[in-house]
Amino acid sequence: FDSSLHYYRIALPLWRQLDDPEGQARVSGHMALMLWHLGELREALSLSEESILLKRIIGDSLDLAKALNNHGLILRKLGRYDASLLFLQEALLIKETIAVPAASICNAYTNIGVLYWRLKNYPMAQANFDKAIAIAKAANYQKGLANGNNNLGLMANEQEKYAEALQ
């Protein structure tokens, strides 16, 4: 990560000098993800905001949906759940309006389900996990099925619904 981050830190100001919004959006988005993984959440959030702003200007819906989703995940990690939910829902709405693979929509529902789970809103978490599982089944997306069922089991366990967790 360190060497990649080093090169991104060189590239971003160059894209800014070139006044190239696509290059800036791409690099700021990559840096935000990398910093998120490194736990540098404040800087990740700032770069993610920059990426979203630029992607809105560019008008690339798919890239905007990805950036909104990532931003929502950063906010979730920061414990800013209400804001996170808004970004995750906007990302899902875009994904449902454009042609994206079912796996992407499944993962969006899973991300929203995890957020509701963290908020202890188990019915909404369940509804989103169920939706993700239904999409995964229809698309034969095995990873989505595994994630959805794993999350449901973990959530049932957390609620001490052990019989349900074992189903």
Side-chain angles (χ1 to χ4, degrees):
F1 280 143
D2 288 340
S3 64
S4 296
L5 195 53
H6 168 77
Y7 292 115
Y8 286 145
R9 289 191 192 283
I10 293 170
L12 186 56
L14 293 172
W15 286 117
R16 287 177 179 149
Q17 284 178 348
L18 292 168
D19 195 26
D20 183 321
E22 289 180 17
Q24 290 175 64
R26 186 174 48 255
V27 173
S28 60
H30 291 311
M31 285 180 71
L33 278 177
M34 187 166 295
L35 289 163
W36 172 50
H37 288 294
L38 291 171
E40 300 292 333
L41 300 177
R42 298 289 175 206
E43 188 177 359
L45 189 65
S46 175
L47 287 163
S48 180
E49 289 167 350
E50 177 181 345
S51 180
I52 289 169
L53 176 66
L54 291 166
K55 288 177 182 186
R56 285 190 196 282
I57 292 168
I58 295 164
D60 183 335
S61 295
L62 179 58
D63 278 349
L64 175 59
K66 291 175 185 177
L68 291 165
N69 183 76
N70 294 339
H71 193 69
L73 295 176
I74 294 167
L75 288 165
R76 186 177 78 194
K77 186 78 170 177
L78 284 165
R80 294 177 52 193
Y81 298 129
D82 290 340
S84 174
L85 182 59
L86 293 174
F87 283 94
L88 293 174
Q89 288 175 328
E90 185 180 354
L92 174 61
L93 180 63
I94 292 169
K95 288 177 180 184
E96 289 182 326
T97 15
I98 62 175
V100 298
S104 182
I105 294 173
C106 174
N107 293 338
Y109 276 106
T110 298
N111 288 335
I112 293 170
V114 169
L115 179 65
Y116 278 120
W117 175 16
R118 295 236 172 101
L119 290 169
K120 307 279 188 232
N121 186 337
Y122 299 118
M124 287 300 293
Q126 173 91 38
N128 280 277
F129 291 147
D130 287 345
K131 183 75 172 172
I133 289 169
I135 292 167
K137 279 183 185 174
N140 196 28
Y141 176 46
Q142 297 302 305
K143 185 176 178 183
L145 283 171
N147 279 333
N149 283 291
N150 183 64
N151 288 332
L152 287 173
L154 290 168
M155 191 171 69
N157 185 47
E158 180 178 292
Q159 297 174 80
E160 299 182 358
K161 295 181 178 179
Y162 301 117
E164 186 178 320
L166 292 173
Q167 291 180 357

